[in-house]
Amino acid sequence: MLFHVEMTVNLPHDLPKDQADRLKATEKAQAQELQRSGKWRHLWRVAGQYANVSVFDVSGAGELHEILSGLPLFPFMQIEVKALCRHPSAIADDGA
Amino acid sequence: MLFHVEMTVNLPHDLPKDQADRLKATEKAQAQELQRSGKWRHLWRVAGQYANVSVFDVSGAGELHEILSGLPLFPFMQIEVKALCRHPSAIADDGA
Amino acid sequence: MLFHVEMTVNLPHDLPKDQADRLKATEKAQAQELQRSGKWRHLWRVAGQYANVSVFDVSGAGELHEILSGLPLFPFMQIEVKALCRHPSAIADDGA
Amino acid sequence: MLFHVEMTVNLPHDLPKDQADRLKATEKAQAQELQRSGKWRHLWRVAGQYANVSVFDVSGAGELHEILSGLPLFPFMQIEVKALCRHPSAIADDGA
Amino acid sequence: MLFHVEMTVNLPHDLPKDQADRLKATEKAQAQELQRSGKWRHLWRVAGQYANVSVFDVSGAGELHEILSGLPLFPFMQIEVKALCRHPSAIADDGA
Amino acid sequence: MLFHVEMTVNLPHDLPKDQADRLKATEKAQAQELQRSGKWRHLWRVAGQYANVSVFDVSGAGELHEILSGLPLFPFMQIEVKALCRHPSAIADDGA
Amino acid sequence: MLFHVEMTVNLPHDLPKDQADRLKATEKAQAQELQRSGKWRHLWRVAGQYANVSVFDVSGAGELHEILSGLPLFPFMQIEVKALCRHPSAIADDGA
Amino acid sequence: MLFHVEMTVNLPHDLPKDQADRLKATEKAQAQELQRSGKWRHLWRVAGQYANVSVFDVSGAGELHEILSGLPLFPFMQIEVKALCRHPSAIADDGA
Amino acid sequence: MLFHVEMTVNLPHDLPKDQADRLKATEKAQAQELQRSGKWRHLWRVAGQYANVSVFDVSGAGELHEILSGLPLFPFMQIEVKALCRHPSAIADDGA
Amino acid sequence: MLFHVEMTVNLPHDLPKDQADRLKATEKAQAQELQRSGKWRHLWRVAGQYANVSVFDVSGAGELHEILSGLPLFPFMQIEVKALCRHPSAIADDGA
């Protein structure tokens, strides 16, 4: 099942730099592992924002929440979720 | 170049039904032709909304505007556009 | 899978009364049939609003959209959807 | 009487971890006790958010406020309350 | 039980004047009857707005909804409801 | 003259507890003194919020501002003010 | 007593032109009469908007409402009211 | 003096087509005449919107308002105005 | 040229009191000097808010920005600016 | 390709002054270098705000993001991006 997710990151300016670096490195590793597994189906940067637009392909809302809340930057992100389904004008299922 | 586009349709309730049907049929034909050409790269329905989330792959903002403003439902849609680029954690370019 | 849905109805004042009455009667019949089937799991009125708060139990976003977009009042409703999952402090699964 | 309550938690990043852990553990214990008593009738997690959707069954606004303001995370939560009543299309009272 | 209610009226400009006058006259009669019964406890005009701030004293959310949805101007009003309870610094119960 | 005032309190989590306690105690004393004087005509708690809805009866905007800005929690409150007047359907002046 | 009032006009496009012209002419006459009386103390156009920023000097909220609700364009205006008082850094009372 | 102006056009769907065409043609002629005069310094289309971003170079707010309110589409536009001045990091005055 | 300016002050609670006092004293001195010069034409307090409504009479946007950004509380203020011009119904120019 | 960018700066009040000064100096140097290169095509200050309105002329969204995210003040800025294209009424291409 597909979910459209927008994540906007707000790191507090007084977060120690090494802690921030560790968070970002772990975040990147998890994001790449999830992409390789096929669960994080699309990941794009929004130009000019510390934000991404993503599409997840998961078994349901429970797995989606487990993934998102497990991201190291989760406490610093504003997240919007939309459930997606196949569009009647789509020529392919595109995962939906 | 990739653009993330959200379209929400608001058809006036006093639009004659046959006019609405013609608009929707032409909209669908154009959407499918644009998908086949590769320009309308993704098209999903947002569950519970008369709305879609789309990704366009076009030469630039001019071509994007030409496509969107040429859609029959354009006068009845609220549209939000975001320019996308490759995310540093993405394992593939995914069009960006 | 559970979805939390809020629907707010805005009927245009110039909608003919008999058309509005037919829409509401069909809406009520469909809502009750969906409750009996177990798909429309909860349905409450928001006090002071022509609005409801509902919980749907469906196979996924596709079925949810089919149900909502098939409601006679769909063209006149503003709808917000949230995907639900089990809360770690919940003592029962409550459908999630 | 039923109230629909949405709680979104924002823990400050500089809250000491052991203090946060104690708050969450006490919150969980109170939430479960309130569920067992029947007052916290439904509790779901909103997917992708540090937030829940709940339904409370209490004697009135006074008891609702006593419960919510007594939660350990109350100072860190944004809370929205809606009073619920029976929907004319509901096939059961569902607590309302 | 007390509810704080704000009502803002938006009459469509093409509503026939005699229909609007009838609606307003019936609205006024019902409002005054409800005040005499003690259920519509306070009713003030917001300066500069076609709006009021009110406090209702009713048995619960069900009775509140019955009253509000029965007002002739209900289809033309935007309504916000807040459940009230006694404030810990209040020197009298003031109905709560 | 009547003013409708909504106050929402946001105490910073790192405000020392004894300072917060002193502020609240003084706030309560002032609120009760103002109620006894008749200037703070109504004071209710909004259920589920660290907030109140109040009605002040003062000589004008100057006195209102003097009272509100003199409250110990004023620096931590978001305040909305509406000027009230008598409603044409009100059966009593209710202070307006 | 001073009130700061912002009025934004939205005339429906299907309002007959002669009716709109009569409304505007009467509005202008009333606005000028109120300025001459000293009650409509300031009246400025907001550049680029069919809107004004005004300051009224009236006996209280009741008189303000009587004036504003008596304007011919009142049904077509969105109005925001702020009660003003003397600023501690002001070198003159400026009506407050 | 420079003003940054964003205009978003909302033509009612029941505006007769020939009237809309006349309005647009006159709008275009005026816009081009104002560009030639140097007063309408920049004019860009926002991709995906029936909207433009513009910069005007006028003698002041009065002339700006005269120009904008004289546009044939003014009654159908939502307009936002920002006054611009020279940025301390700008390497040229760019009209400001 | 006239500008309508609304300033809302948010002083951080952990700003040292003597620093805050110095800022406010300097702010007051500058505000009074600017009023005496005629540039800060009106200055009112918004009742119930740490905020003011002001009208400035300056040579243009550049001078306005120089004045506002030079205020000691500028870093702690949210500021909204509107360019004003003469209203067609105004009986005097009132600076515009 | 042209992008319209609005940047609003929010420097935390507890950012050490020398660090803030260094950030601003580097920001200015980069902004001027980018203007000289032709990529930062327009840069204006918004009167009364710590904000600018800019137009960038870059190869695409990727280059835009690289420039913006490389600005020293990027972590402290709220940024809005709009893709621009040629307006049908424009008498010159103006970069679009």
Side-chain angles (χ1 to χ4, degrees):
Chain A
M1 188 181 157
L2 295 191
F3 288 98
H4 179 272
V5 180
E6 294 181 74
M7 311 180 208
T8 306
V9 186
N10 289 290
L11 286 184
H13 81 98
D14 54 355
L15 193 71
K17 190 180 175 313
D18 60 337
Q19 185 182 347
D21 288 346
R22 268 200 314 275
L23 287 169
K24 290 180 199 171
T26 317
E27 177 93 9
K28 185 172 188 168
Q30 281 185 228
Q32 294 191 332
E33 177 55 32
L34 286 158
Q35 287 172 81
R36 278 188 292 266
S37 75
K39 292 180 194 297
W40 197 323
R41 193 179 170 97
H42 297 290
L43 168 59
W44 295 288
R45 168 68 77 215
V46 182
Q49 312 282 343
Y50 192 178
N52 69 67
V53 168
S54 293
V55 175
F56 286 84
D57 187 354
V58 291
S59 61
E63 188 180 17
L64 178 72
H65 188 73
E66 195 176 2
I67 288 173
L68 294 175
S69 63
L71 292 174
L73 294 177
F74 181 74
F76 307 108
M77 292 198 292
Q78 179 187 353
I79 295 182
E80 288 179 55
V81 174
K82 287 188 187 82
L84 297 180
C85 48
R86 184 164 181 172
H87 194 283
S89 301
I91 58 171
D93 70 4
D94 206 0
Chain B
M1 188 180 158
L2 295 192
F3 288 97
H4 179 271
V5 180
E6 294 180 74
M7 310 180 209
T8 305
V9 186
N10 290 289
L11 286 184
H13 80 99
D14 55 355
L15 193 71
K17 189 179 176 312
D18 60 337
Q19 186 182 348
D21 287 347
R22 268 199 314 275
L23 287 170
K24 289 180 198 173
T26 317
E27 178 92 9
K28 184 172 189 169
Q30 280 185 229
Q32 294 192 331
E33 176 56 31
L34 285 159
Q35 288 173 81
R36 279 188 290 266
S37 76
K39 292 181 195 296
W40 198 324
R41 194 179 169 99
H42 297 290
L43 169 60
W44 294 288
R45 169 67 77 214
V46 182
Q49 312 282 342
Y50 191 177
N52 69 68
V53 168
S54 294
V55 176
F56 285 83
D57 187 355
V58 291
S59 60
E63 189 181 15
L64 178 72
H65 188 73
E66 196 176 1
I67 288 173
L68 294 176
S69 63
L71 293 174
L73 293 177
F74 180 73
F76 307 108
M77 293 198 292
Q78 179 186 353
I79 295 182
E80 288 179 56
V81 173
K82 288 187 185 83
L84 297 179
C85 50
R86 184 166 181 169
H87 194 283
S89 301
I91 59 172
D93 70 4
D94 205 1
Chain C
M1 187 180 159
L2 295 192
F3 288 97
H4 179 271
V5 180
E6 294 181 74
M7 310 180 208
T8 305
V9 185
N10 290 289
L11 286 183
H13 81 98
D14 55 355
L15 193 71
K17 188 178 176 317
D18 59 337
Q19 185 182 348
D21 288 346
R22 269 199 315 274
L23 287 169
K24 289 180 198 172
T26 317
E27 177 93 9
K28 184 171 189 168
Q30 281 185 228
Q32 294 191 331
E33 176 57 31
L34 286 159
Q35 287 173 80
R36 278 187 291 266
S37 76
K39 293 181 195 297
W40 197 325
R41 193 179 170 98
H42 298 290
L43 168 60
W44 295 288
R45 169 66 76 214
V46 182
Q49 312 283 340
Y50 191 177
N52 70 67
V53 167
S54 293
V55 175
F56 285 84
D57 187 354
V58 291
S59 61
E63 189 180 16
L64 178 72
H65 188 73
E66 196 176 2
I67 288 172
L68 294 175
S69 63
L71 293 174
L73 294 177
F74 180 74
F76 307 107
M77 293 199 291
Q78 179 187 353
I79 295 182
E80 288 179 56
V81 173
K82 288 188 185 83
L84 297 179
C85 49
R86 184 165 181 171
H87 194 283
S89 301
I91 58 172
D93 70 3
D94 206 0
Chain D
M1 188 181 158
L2 295 192
F3 287 97
H4 179 271
V5 180
E6 294 180 74
M7 310 179 208
T8 305
V9 186
N10 290 289
L11 286 184
H13 81 98
D14 55 355
L15 193 71
K17 189 179 176 314
D18 59 338
Q19 185 182 348
D21 287 347
R22 269 198 314 276
L23 288 169
K24 288 180 199 172
T26 317
E27 178 92 11
K28 185 172 189 168
Q30 280 184 229
Q32 294 192 331
E33 176 56 31
L34 285 159
Q35 287 173 79
R36 278 188 292 266
S37 76
K39 293 182 193 296
W40 197 325
R41 192 178 170 97
H42 297 290
L43 168 60
W44 294 288
R45 169 67 78 213
V46 182
Q49 312 282 343
Y50 191 177
N52 69 66
V53 168
S54 294
V55 175
F56 286 83
D57 187 354
V58 292
S59 61
E63 188 181 16
L64 178 72
H65 188 72
E66 195 177 1
I67 288 172
L68 294 176
S69 63
L71 293 175
L73 293 177
F74 181 73
F76 306 108
M77 293 198 292
Q78 179 187 353
I79 295 182
E80 286 179 57
V81 174
K82 287 188 186 81
L84 296 180
C85 49
R86 184 165 181 172
H87 194 284
S89 301
I91 58 172
D93 69 4
D94 206 0
Chain E
M1 187 179 159
L2 295 192
F3 288 97
H4 179 271
V5 180
E6 294 180 74
M7 310 179 209
T8 306
V9 186
N10 290 289
L11 286 184
H13 81 98
D14 54 355
L15 193 72
K17 189 178 176 314
D18 60 338
Q19 185 183 348
D21 288 346
R22 269 199 313 274
L23 287 169
K24 289 181 199 172
T26 317
E27 177 92 10
K28 184 171 189 169
Q30 281 185 226
Q32 294 191 332
E33 177 55 32
L34 286 159
Q35 287 173 81
R36 279 188 291 266
S37 76
K39 293 181 194 296
W40 198 325
R41 193 179 170 98
H42 297 291
L43 168 59
W44 295 289
R45 169 67 77 214
V46 182
Q49 311 282 344
Y50 191 178
N52 69 67
V53 167
S54 294
V55 175
F56 286 84
D57 187 354
V58 291
S59 60
E63 189 180 17
L64 178 72
H65 188 72
E66 196 176 3
I67 288 173
L68 294 176
S69 62
L71 294 174
L73 293 177
F74 180 73
F76 307 108
M77 293 198 292
Q78 178 187 354
I79 295 183
E80 288 180 55
V81 173
K82 287 188 186 81
L84 297 179
C85 48
R86 183 164 182 172
H87 193 284
S89 301
I91 58 172
D93 70 3
D94 205 0
Chain F
M1 188 181 158
L2 294 192
F3 288 97
H4 179 272
V5 180
E6 294 180 74
M7 310 180 209
T8 306
V9 186
N10 290 289
L11 286 185
H13 80 98
D14 54 355
L15 194 71
K17 189 179 176 314
D18 59 337
Q19 186 183 346
D21 288 346
R22 269 199 314 275
L23 287 169
K24 289 180 198 172
T26 316
E27 178 92 10
K28 184 172 190 169
Q30 280 184 229
Q32 294 191 332
E33 177 56 31
L34 286 159
Q35 287 172 80
R36 279 187 291 267
S37 75
K39 292 181 195 295
W40 198 324
R41 193 178 170 99
H42 298 290
L43 168 60
W44 295 288
R45 168 68 78 213
V46 182
Q49 312 282 344
Y50 191 177
N52 69 67
V53 167
S54 293
V55 175
F56 286 84
D57 187 354
V58 291
S59 61
E63 189 181 16
L64 178 71
H65 188 73
E66 196 176 2
I67 288 173
L68 294 177
S69 62
L71 293 175
L73 293 178
F74 180 73
F76 306 107
M77 293 198 293
Q78 179 186 352
I79 295 182
E80 287 179 56
V81 173
K82 288 188 185 82
L84 297 179
C85 50
R86 183 164 182 172
H87 194 283
S89 301
I91 58 172
D93 70 3
D94 206 0
Chain G
M1 186 179 161
L2 295 193
F3 288 97
H4 179 271
V5 181
E6 295 180 73
M7 310 179 209
T8 305
V9 186
N10 289 289
L11 287 183
H13 79 98
D14 54 355
L15 193 71
K17 189 178 176 313
D18 60 338
Q19 185 182 349
D21 287 347
R22 270 199 313 275
L23 288 169
K24 289 181 199 172
T26 317
E27 177 92 10
K28 184 172 189 168
Q30 279 185 229
Q32 294 191 332
E33 177 55 32
L34 285 158
Q35 287 172 80
R36 279 188 291 265
S37 75
K39 292 181 194 296
W40 197 324
R41 193 178 170 98
H42 298 291
L43 169 59
W44 295 288
R45 168 66 77 214
V46 182
Q49 312 282 343
Y50 191 178
N52 70 67
V53 168
S54 294
V55 175
F56 285 83
D57 186 355
V58 290
S59 60
E63 189 181 16
L64 178 71
H65 188 73
E66 195 176 4
I67 288 172
L68 294 176
S69 62
L71 293 174
L73 293 177
F74 181 73
F76 307 107
M77 292 199 292
Q78 178 187 354
I79 295 182
E80 288 180 54
V81 173
K82 289 187 185 82
L84 296 179
C85 50
R86 184 164 182 172
H87 194 284
S89 300
I91 59 172
D93 70 3
D94 205 0
Chain H
M1 187 180 159
L2 294 193
F3 287 97
H4 180 271
V5 180
E6 294 180 74
M7 311 180 208
T8 305
V9 186
N10 289 289
L11 286 183
H13 80 98
D14 54 355
L15 194 71
K17 189 178 175 315
D18 60 337
Q19 185 182 349
D21 287 347
R22 270 199 313 275
L23 287 169
K24 290 181 199 173
T26 317
E27 178 92 10
K28 184 172 190 168
Q30 280 185 229
Q32 294 191 331
E33 177 56 32
L34 286 159
Q35 288 173 80
R36 278 187 292 265
S37 75
K39 293 181 195 296
W40 198 325
R41 193 178 170 98
H42 297 290
L43 169 59
W44 294 288
R45 168 67 77 214
V46 182
Q49 312 281 343
Y50 191 178
N52 70 66
V53 168
S54 294
V55 175
F56 285 84
D57 187 355
V58 291
S59 60
E63 189 181 15
L64 178 71
H65 188 73
E66 196 176 3
I67 288 172
L68 294 176
S69 62
L71 293 174
L73 294 177
F74 180 73
F76 307 107
M77 292 198 292
Q78 180 186 352
I79 296 182
E80 287 178 56
V81 173
K82 288 187 185 81
L84 297 179
C85 50
R86 184 167 182 170
H87 194 283
S89 301
I91 59 172
D93 70 4
D94 206 359
Chain I
M1 187 181 159
L2 294 193
F3 288 97
H4 179 271
V5 180
E6 295 180 74
M7 310 180 209
T8 306
V9 185
N10 289 289
L11 285 184
H13 80 99
D14 55 356
L15 194 71
K17 189 178 176 314
D18 60 337
Q19 185 182 348
D21 287 347
R22 270 199 313 275
L23 287 169
K24 290 180 198 171
T26 317
E27 177 93 9
K28 183 171 189 169
Q30 280 185 228
Q32 294 191 333
E33 177 55 31
L34 285 159
Q35 287 172 81
R36 279 188 291 266
S37 75
K39 292 181 195 297
W40 198 324
R41 192 178 171 99
H42 297 291
L43 169 60
W44 295 288
R45 169 68 76 215
V46 182
Q49 312 282 343
Y50 191 177
N52 70 66
V53 167
S54 294
V55 175
F56 286 84
D57 187 355
V58 292
S59 61
E63 189 180 17
L64 177 72
H65 188 72
E66 196 177 2
I67 288 173
L68 294 176
S69 63
L71 293 174
L73 293 177
F74 180 73
F76 306 108
M77 292 198 293
Q78 179 187 352
I79 296 181
E80 288 180 55
V81 173
K82 288 188 186 82
L84 297 179
C85 49
R86 184 165 181 171
H87 194 283
S89 301
I91 59 173
D93 70 4
D94 205 1
Chain J
M1 187 181 159
L2 294 192
F3 287 98
H4 179 271
V5 180
E6 295 181 73
M7 309 179 210
T8 306
V9 186
N10 289 289
L11 286 184
H13 81 98
D14 55 356
L15 193 72
K17 189 179 176 313
D18 60 337
Q19 185 182 348
D21 287 346
R22 268 198 315 274
L23 287 169
K24 290 180 199 172
T26 317
E27 177 93 9
K28 184 172 188 168
Q30 280 184 228
Q32 294 191 332
E33 177 56 31
L34 286 159
Q35 287 172 80
R36 278 187 291 267
S37 75
K39 292 181 194 297
W40 197 324
R41 194 178 169 99
H42 298 290
L43 169 60
W44 295 287
R45 168 68 76 215
V46 182
Q49 312 281 343
Y50 191 177
N52 69 67
V53 168
S54 294
V55 175
F56 286 83
D57 187 354
V58 291
S59 61
E63 189 180 16
L64 178 71
H65 188 73
E66 195 176 3
I67 288 173
L68 293 175
S69 62
L71 293 174
L73 294 176
F74 180 74
F76 307 107
M77 293 198 292
Q78 178 187 354
I79 296 182
E80 289 179 53
V81 173
K82 287 188 186 82
L84 297 179
C85 49
R86 184 164 180 173
H87 194 283
S89 301
I91 59 172
D93 69 4
D94 206 0

